[in-house]
Amino acid sequence: MAIPKRKPPKRKSETVIQKLYKNPKIPFDFALLLADAVLTALIIAYVPYTKIDWDAYMSQVDGFIEGERNYSNLKGDTGPLVYPAGFLYVYSVIQYVTGGQVYPAQILFGLLYIVNLGIVLFIYVKTDVLPWWALTLLSLSKRLHSIFVLRLFNDCFAMTLLHASLIPLIYQKWHLSLIIFSAAVSVKMNVLLYAPPLLLLMVKAMDFIGVISALTGAALVQILLGLPFLLSYPIEYLSKAFNLGRVFIHFWSVNFKFVPEPVFVSKEFALILLVVHLGLLMIFVQYRWCKHEGGLVSFLHARFVQMQLKTSITSSFPLEKSYNSSSRLKILKTEHIVTTMFTGNFIGIVCARSLHYQFYSWYFYSLPYLLWRTPFPTVIRLMLFAGVELCWNVFPSTVYSSVVLLCVHIIILWGLWRAPPEYPYESDRSQARMKAN
């Protein structure tokens, strides 16, 4: 008589507590969000608000709501409107919700601060680059709290949207990411510093038609948001909202205060910084971001050959179209996506002619990630982080603080250069798992 085989005992599924114990970052993130929410509420309640741009924002919104569509006529007490149309829509909603009053707007921006921090923490958990305790650095900036709840700058909305666009990006949802990215650009153009690395990642992960369709979607967002102005006063809108030649006031510069003002405002200085910016981008593309593809030229040539091969196969065997379009493309690693995006933006920050105090929000949330991507010891990383934060809290900026800030930026960039380039693509097994999901 055959003895029936005993079924192996089923493994008990992990409880929520066990999962949290294995990954302490998740409960730590929630605790950090709660603690920062309390701190932000206390700042709103007890630290005086500083009037800078709020009244100008409200004046510009009033003109828009009253029917003015000529961008040259939308002005505030700090000057003419210089942001794309998305800015007007965002602050029109804020004015409607708050009645144009500062205190309820501070509460709204406090909520925005927590939402943005939550998005950034999610990105950090997905990449798993930092130790759990280092996530505390994301809540330790005095200047960032000030930018959000004591100044109410539009940079806050632009960067929150930018960080939100990274979530679909790390899930390879390129079209959705480009739509959110374009919405961020419509609030403030500094987001375009992320455009070069984003374009490279798109070319790596998508076919030609995918890249074009994603870019078309982003362009349509800009057209739809700017349509009321493009239909009435297109030249005024494009020249004001997308003015790349603005010259900032030397007094407010945090990074190049040591440069004499005549040099600072000169076109030659701007041209030199632009050349350095483009040169650094090309160097990182060639020797870091496309290292495993043999450099930029080899990578583009390989993609061109692949596109020709796909076209010939598709024309010969139409039924193979879907197979070839999905099987030839590789899935990018989350760490490669985030590292490339953050580093590309940081290169732009290093080469920016003028960084005003609110511009710190453009790259603060990427600093811990970038520092842990360098080969420096942890003590040096923390010292560099503290050095950047210290320089941004010197008011007004001095020759010495701007020199120190530039030096720290260069050291961080050198560390990123010294870090060994990572393999950018998921393994075949990981790709199959991600496609299944």
Side-chain angles (χ1 to χ4, degrees), residues 23 25-37 113-139 163-164 166-167 170 342 364-366 368-369:
N23 188 2
K25 285 185 179 181
I26 297 177
F28 186 77
D29 285 353
F30 283 107
L32 189 62
L33 279 172
L34 179 60
D36 210 339
Y113 173 87
I114 296 302
V115 169
N116 178 64
L117 179 60
I119 292 171
V120 173
L121 286 171
F122 179 83
I123 294 169
Y124 273 72
V125 170
K126 292 296 292 184
T127 56
D128 199 27
V129 170
L130 268 69
W132 63 269
W133 60 266
L135 296 174
T136 310
L137 298 175
L138 296 168
S139 293
H163 293 143
L166 295 181
I167 293 180
I170 62 181
F342 281 171
F364 166 77
Y365 287 104
S366 67
Y369 183 94

Side-chain angles (χ1 to χ4, degrees), residues 157-282:
F157 276 93
M159 294 313 299
T160 300
L161 286 170
L162 181 279
H163 293 143
S165 74
L166 295 181
I167 293 180
L169 199 66
I170 62 181
Y171 283 102
Q172 319 287 315
K173 307 297 183 182
W174 299 93
H175 289 77
L176 176 59
S177 177
L178 263 289
I179 290 173
I180 303 173
F181 180 86
S182 186
V185 173
S186 76
V187 178
K188 194 161 186 176
M189 278 204 309
N190 70 282
V191 177
L192 288 175
L193 290 176
Y194 284 92
L198 176 58
L199 180 60
L200 176 65
L201 293 172
M202 290 169 61
V203 174
K204 280 190 172 190
M206 305 171 73
D207 58 19
F208 179 74
I209 295 176
V211 172
I212 296 300
S213 61
L215 292 176
T216 301
L220 284 175
V221 171
Q222 294 299 320
I223 293 171
L224 290 174
L225 292 176
L227 199 59
F229 309 98
L230 292 170
L231 291 176
S232 50
Y233 297 94
I235 302 301
E236 288 79 0
Y237 175 67
L238 294 174
S239 62
K240 294 292 184 181
F242 299 96
N243 181 7
L244 298 176
R246 291 174 59 201
V247 179
F248 294 99
I249 300 173
H250 180 259
F251 176 80
W252 294 110
S253 176
V254 180
N255 58 330
F256 281 121
K257 195 65 170 288
F258 61 90
V259 176
E261 186 169 1
V263 176
F264 177 85
V265 300
S266 67
K267 292 183 179 180
E268 292 78 8
F269 185 57
L271 181 60
I272 291 172
L273 291 175
L274 177 61
V275 171
V276 173
H277 183 189
L278 296 177
L280 286 172
L281 284 175
M282 289 302 299

